Amino acid sequence: MDMQITRTAGAVARLRSALGATQSDVAKKAGVDQSRLSRMEKGEVVAPDEIRRALGALSALGSEEAGGFLRFMEREWRFIEPPSYWNPERASVEIAEETLEKIEAFLGDEEQPWPLRRQLERRKGDLLRASSFLTRLKHNVAFIGDIGVGKSTAISFIFDLLVPAKAEDRNINRPVLETGAGGTTICEVHIKSGPEFGLSVTAMDAADLTDLVADFCAAKWAMAHRKEGDQAETPQVSREVERAIRNMSRLVRKRTMVDGKPHYTDPIHEVIADCQAEDEFRARVLGAMKLDERTTTEIWYESGTRKHPSEWMRETFRAVNNGRMSDVPMPRSIGLIVPDFGKSFGEFEITVVDTKGVEDVAVREDLDHRLKDPRTAVVLCCRFESAPDTTSQALLQHMKQTFSERFDTGKIAILSLPRSGEALEVNSDTGERVLNEEEGHALKGEEVTNKLNSQDLSDVPVFFFNVESDTAAQVRADLFGQLSRMRETVSERLFDLCDAATEIIENHEKHAVTAAIEEVARRLNTFLRGNGKLGARERHAYEEVLSTVHGVRYASTLWAATRRNGEYYGLNIVHQIGVGAARDARLRSRDWFAKIEGHVNELKADEDLVLAKHSVDQIGAVAEASRRNFLDGAQRIAMEIYREPLTQDPVWNDCASEWGRGPGFKNRIEEHLRTWFGDTRPDLKETLDKRLNALWDRSVIAPLMQLTQEHEPGDTSDSEDENVLAFPSTASA
């Protein structure tokens, strides 16, 4: 208990500041020296008695929170890690702790009926998981969108990452993050709070960097040796990658003025002319980058620079992002550290993630991690006129088809980014222009919602933000609301669990409760006996690969993937296999989950089972959790099965050799892969099918079967009874 108080001694300063009292006032009331109180607020003094006296003084001076805080800290937490006093869901967590105490006491009585004890044991684990989620206050807000959509500009204005207005003649030029027409940011950027202004760099893996340089050199070598009239496609690397490699190797194009016009000379031409082969050229570029000297991964602001911190951060970020700092490596991610960042989000510790812009394939592995992370709210950014754009729709469909995500939980939102005057150009139903931007936003919002609803993508919130005219407060409030909704969804589930556990405990003496629970278990057992099998395969996992390859927008994306044995961040073939497997798993299990939902509804409608309502709800909750586990497991298993055989096969040499043979590159790659999946390694699809069936038994049927076993542990006298269903073998898993 004393340790809980000492860990939060800094709360004294917060409570005093909220009250508006001076240290002298509090010290005098508490009967301690003012210097002692100052050290206490800094966390240097950890005497529990003095902290209690300071809190008592604050309470006496009129702070209602101080008394509540003292009572909170005196509380003993046995099951859950104590939350922050200012945690928005503290009351929910406190109720969960109280419920867990009741459950522990009930389970300690071995005379209680086993069906009820099993019910409470299950709810105990669920309560602990939900409480753990709510206790933590760290969350991410990830912005996803096409390159050039205005994502980085919007982030800068929303979160006040701007240089002083006097430093720029136009407001739109104030962002700290580097902005442009696309192809600007080289990697993912994480913005978070810290003690001072600074940048942190996570270096790109050596192998990945070598691959990028190899792509760059191959493209330049091919261009330099292209013959006149050659119609073959020319490989390219992204603008941001080329810019960084040129700066790091000091092979930047030089500009001179000739007759008043800019003229550029490219030193790369000289290097290529001096090399006998492409590999020699590549070695020269890598050598010029002096990678061994690039060891600096943290850069901190120094007041001696006499620059405003945000101006320093903008200059430093752009230098790192463009490879212009001689001692900094090529970044895999860049962290911007800003004091008090995210303070408008209250108690939450927020990290804003500016993801690398979507240039071609939207369903990327790095974006998948953000979409699946339960602690991340995702903001899909798109232009006003194209909302919801192709990328937003593709990712929403991916969430629905691959892991059956709901859209009303705060997880996802669309942020439309209108430019000046665009909202005023919207026509009303009468054909007349809208009167103001608010009306334009409202009509556009209806259009977006209707389009999503027509694709069975309902409940996606739509927000608007014009960086040139709107204040950021409203959109910040909208995003804060998304995070709050995410937590409310878990909190609602927590309350349901607490109510269920409390009802069982309070009604434990009613034999009818036990009988109803056993009847629910018997009926579920009967259902599982007749409906235990996974449906037949509906589509091969590799069909997702073929359709993705067929739909690739830029041949250079596919070219880069063939040079990396299919594992390129912009197009990861192994990841696409996993997506295909998850989508097939969803299709082949769709009818089964519809049946279990119908079964649950039948149980709820049976008046004889009213006393077992929470047991019925538990079936639905377990089924929903099992669905997620099954789909996620299907994706992982497919990637595991295919990764080594696919990435180590010579098929990629055949694919890479197709480059430069004229039009139809994508079609030829698609045919190579179709042959490999269907003819060369047909065994893999059978292995996947076998593993998916084992996964089904393990992740879906087994958890539900546990709900049918209400007999006493070790009691096998009724093992042949129809209320006991043996677990299926998972040896094949």
Side-chain angles (χ1 to χ4, degrees):
M1 180 167 54
D2 287 349
M3 181 60 68
Q4 295 173 20
I5 295 178
T6 58
R7 284 190 305 177
T8 56
V12 173
R14 176 170 178 169
L15 292 166
R16 180 181 62 78
S17 177
L19 182 64
T22 65
Q23 284 187 343
S24 176
D25 293 336
V26 177
K28 182 177 180 181
K29 194 72 174 178
V32 298
D33 189 83
Q34 183 176 338
S35 63
R36 186 81 173 170
L37 179 65
S38 177
R39 293 179 60 200
M40 184 189 306
E41 291 186 352
K42 295 176 182 177
E44 297 173 0
V45 172
V46 291
D49 288 341
E50 291 186 354
I51 293 175
R52 291 189 181 92
R53 285 162 59 187
L55 290 169
L58 286 166
S59 181
L61 289 170
S63 172
E64 295 182 5
E65 274 196 311
F69 183 84
L70 181 57
R71 289 190 296 273
F72 169 73
M73 293 311 303
E74 295 285 1
R75 176 176 190 154
E76 181 180 0
W77 293 79
R78 295 176 55 203
F79 305 98
I80 303 171
E81 180 182 350
S84 163
Y85 177 74
W86 288 279
N87 186 314
E89 286 74 37
R90 174 172 58 85
S92 301
V93 179
E94 288 180 333
I95 292 172
E97 174 73 16
E98 293 169 2
T99 304
L100 286 166
E101 290 175 357
K102 295 176 183 177
I103 290 175
E104 189 72 5
F106 189 92
L107 295 178
D109 183 356
E110 296 184 358
E111 298 300 318
Q112 300 293 358
W114 273 105
L116 303 186
R117 296 186 68 183
R118 284 193 180 279
Q119 289 285 317
L120 292 176
E121 285 174 349
R122 293 165 189 147
R123 281 163 175 74
K124 180 178 180 180
D126 293 337
L127 279 168
L128 289 172
R129 283 187 289 274
S131 299
S132 176
F133 180 91
L134 294 175
T135 298
R136 296 169 56 199
L137 294 171
K138 290 185 177 182
H139 287 281
N140 304 314
V141 181
F143 288 74
I144 297 174
D146 287 341
I147 62 169
V149 78
K151 182 163 46 73
S152 299
T153 301
I155 291 172
S156 295
F157 277 89
I158 291 171
F159 297 100
D160 198 27
L161 296 171
L162 304 169
V163 301
K166 63 181 180 180
E168 289 289 350
D169 57 344
R170 296 180 60 209
N171 199 44
I172 196 66
N173 294 330
R174 293 175 58 200
V176 166
L177 296 176
E178 188 167 7
T179 61
T184 303
T185 309
I186 196 168
C187 63
E188 196 169 81
V189 180
H190 305 163
I191 308 133
K192 55 189 175 182
S193 181
E196 53 188 297
F197 290 92
L199 275 80
S200 63
V201 175
T202 300
M204 183 179 291
D205 294 339
D208 291 338
L209 176 57
T210 301
D211 284 341
L212 278 182
V213 174
D215 287 349
F216 171 79
C217 292
K220 297 305 174 185
W221 186 268
M223 180 65 75
H225 293 84
R226 185 171 184 170
K227 297 178 181 179
E228 187 176 351
D230 190 350
Q231 298 299 313
E233 297 165 297
T234 302
Q236 296 179 359
V237 295
S238 65
R239 285 170 285 175
E240 63 272 21
V241 167
E242 174 163 346
R243 201 160 44 235
I245 291 175
R246 282 182 176 275
N247 279 306
M248 292 175 74
S249 60
R250 295 178 175 82
L251 293 172
V252 180
R253 284 169 289 209
K254 297 177 176 60
R255 182 180 63 184
T256 57
M257 301 301 293
V258 179
D259 297 329
K261 297 181 180 180
H263 178 72
Y264 291 89
T265 56
D266 192 343
I268 282 180
H269 295 162
E270 299 175 9
V271 178
I272 290 176
D274 195 39
C275 294
Q276 299 298 313
E278 183 184 325
D279 57 353
E280 181 186 353
F281 171 47
R282 182 168 62 250
R284 290 272 294 272
V285 173
L286 285 167
M289 294 173 75
K290 298 182 179 179
L291 300 177
D292 291 344
E293 299 177 10
R294 297 179 176 274
T295 58
T296 299
T297 56
E298 291 187 356
I299 312 164
W300 299 99
Y301 170 72
E302 296 180 2
S303 58
T305 62
R306 297 185 179 181
K307 294 179 180 178
H308 190 279
S310 60
E311 291 182 88
W312 171 87
M313 180 165 282
R314 178 170 71 170
E315 291 179 8
T316 307
F317 175 76
R318 295 186 179 193
V320 171
N321 184 55
N322 289 286
R324 289 190 280 106
M325 298 192 78
S326 60
D327 58 342
V328 175
M330 178 78 83
R332 181 167 62 85
S333 67
I334 301 174
L336 267 61
I337 304 167
V338 182
D340 295 324
F341 180 76
K343 61 183 179 182
S344 59
F345 281 71
E347 301 306 314
F348 296 158
E349 185 177 336
I350 298 299
T351 296
V352 169
V353 181
D354 186 4
T355 62
K356 189 167 172 57
V358 176
E359 189 170 11
D360 200 336
V361 179
V363 183
R364 295 194 325 232
E365 188 171 15
D366 61 317
L367 301 184
D368 234 11
H369 291 318
R370 301 300 176 188
L371 296 173
K372 287 184 176 182
D373 181 14
R375 306 199 71 84
T376 297
V378 173
V379 183
L380 300 177
C381 300
C382 49
R383 296 186 185 277
F384 181 80
E385 73 278 3
S386 60
D389 61 15
T390 302
T391 293
S392 297
Q393 293 176 69
L395 290 174
L396 289 170
Q397 289 289 1
H398 169 58
M399 294 175 72
K400 186 175 185 64
Q401 295 174 11
T402 310
F403 36 94
S404 296
E405 183 68 57
R406 287 170 49 195
F407 299 134
D408 61 347
T409 62
K411 172 67 183 177
I412 195 112
I414 286 178
L415 179 63
S416 175
L417 302 171
R419 299 181 181 182
S420 292
E422 282 188 325
L424 295 174
E425 295 177 1
V426 175
N427 290 334
S428 66
D429 291 341
T430 63
E432 298 176 347
R433 292 289 173 87
V434 296
L435 298 177
N436 50 47
E437 290 190 343
E438 289 74 18
E439 186 182 2
H441 292 171
L443 288 177
K444 183 63 176 180
E446 280 187 36
E447 178 188 324
V448 172
T449 299
N450 290 337
K451 188 169 185 177
L452 293 176
N453 288 346
S454 69
Q455 301 176 55
D456 197 21
L457 300 173
S458 56
D459 299 320
V460 180
V462 182
F463 307 129
F464 296 88
F465 181 57
N466 184 333
V467 300
E468 297 183 68
S469 60
D470 293 340
T471 59
Q474 181 57 55
V475 73
R476 280 200 302 267
D478 291 334
L479 298 180
F480 180 81
Q482 288 294 100
L483 287 177
S484 296
R485 181 59 190 140
M486 287 174 63
R487 296 176 65 87
E488 285 170 9
T489 300
V490 178
S491 185
E492 289 165 3
R493 170 68 177 148
L494 188 69
F495 279 127
D496 288 342
L497 291 167
C498 290
D499 287 345
T502 300
E503 185 170 324
I504 289 173
I505 292 170
E506 291 178 350
N507 295 300
H508 70 278
E509 294 182 354
K510 296 181 180 179
H511 295 295
V513 174
T514 302
I517 291 174
E518 290 179 334
E519 176 62 14
V520 167
R522 188 192 68 78
R523 294 194 191 181
L524 176 61
N525 180 275
T526 301
F527 173 86
L528 293 175
R529 279 177 174 272
N531 302 276
K533 299 297 183 181
L534 175 64
R537 180 198 302 142
E538 297 213 8
R539 67 196 299 264
H540 293 296
Y542 63 76
E543 290 180 30
E544 188 68 28
V545 172
L546 300 178
S547 63
T548 300
V549 168
H550 184 77
V552 165
R553 190 181 312 169
Y554 303 114
S556 289
T557 300
L558 191 52
W559 171 74
T562 63
R563 291 167 57 83
R564 292 166 173 78
N565 291 350
E567 291 193 291
Y568 176 47
Y569 88 90
L571 175 58
N572 189 325
I573 299 299
V574 175
H575 176 250
Q576 293 296 328
I577 281 280
V579 170
R583 292 186 177 180
D584 174 57
R586 177 179 174 272
L587 290 173
R588 63 198 299 185
S589 63
R590 180 177 51 192
D591 290 345
W592 189 92
F593 281 109
K595 287 181 181 179
I596 190 71
E597 183 179 356
H599 180 68
V600 168
N601 290 335
E602 287 178 5
L603 295 175
K604 287 182 178 180
D606 192 329
E607 295 182 0
D608 293 335
L609 301 178
V610 171
L611 293 176
K613 173 184 179 298
H614 294 298
S615 295
V616 177
D617 290 339
Q618 181 76 351
I619 295 173
V622 170
E624 182 57 32
S626 297
R627 184 209 308 256
R628 289 175 174 271
N629 291 337
F630 176 60
L631 299 181
D632 192 49
Q635 183 170 354
R636 290 197 310 271
I637 285 173
M639 292 174 67
E640 173 192 332
I641 289 172
Y642 275 89
R643 173 172 278 114
E644 185 174 348
L646 179 57
T647 59
Q648 302 301 317
D649 197 273
V651 67
W652 294 110
N653 294 330
D654 298 334
C655 289
S657 68
E658 293 292 350
W659 184 265
R661 294 184 178 178
F665 174 67
K666 291 195 297 182
N667 293 336
R668 295 194 295 274
I669 300 304
E670 185 180 346
E671 284 307 310
H672 277 298
L673 293 177
R674 187 184 302 278
T675 299
W676 189 87
F677 286 120
D679 299 335
T680 306
R681 294 303 304 267
D683 57 307
L684 297 179
K685 60 187 177 185
E686 302 308 324
T687 300
L688 175 59
D689 197 54
K690 183 178 180 181
R691 292 283 300 276
L692 285 182
N693 276 284
L695 174 68
W696 173 260
D697 289 341
R698 185 173 66 250
S699 65
V700 177
I701 301 302
L704 286 166
M705 284 192 298
Q706 289 181 3
L707 302 183
T708 73
Q709 297 185 350
E710 302 296 3
H711 59 286
E712 183 174 351
D715 178 8
T716 59
S717 59
D718 59 347
S719 60
E720 298 301 322
D721 188 88
E722 66 173 354
N723 194 42
V724 180
L725 185 62
F727 281 67
S729 172
T730 57
S732 59

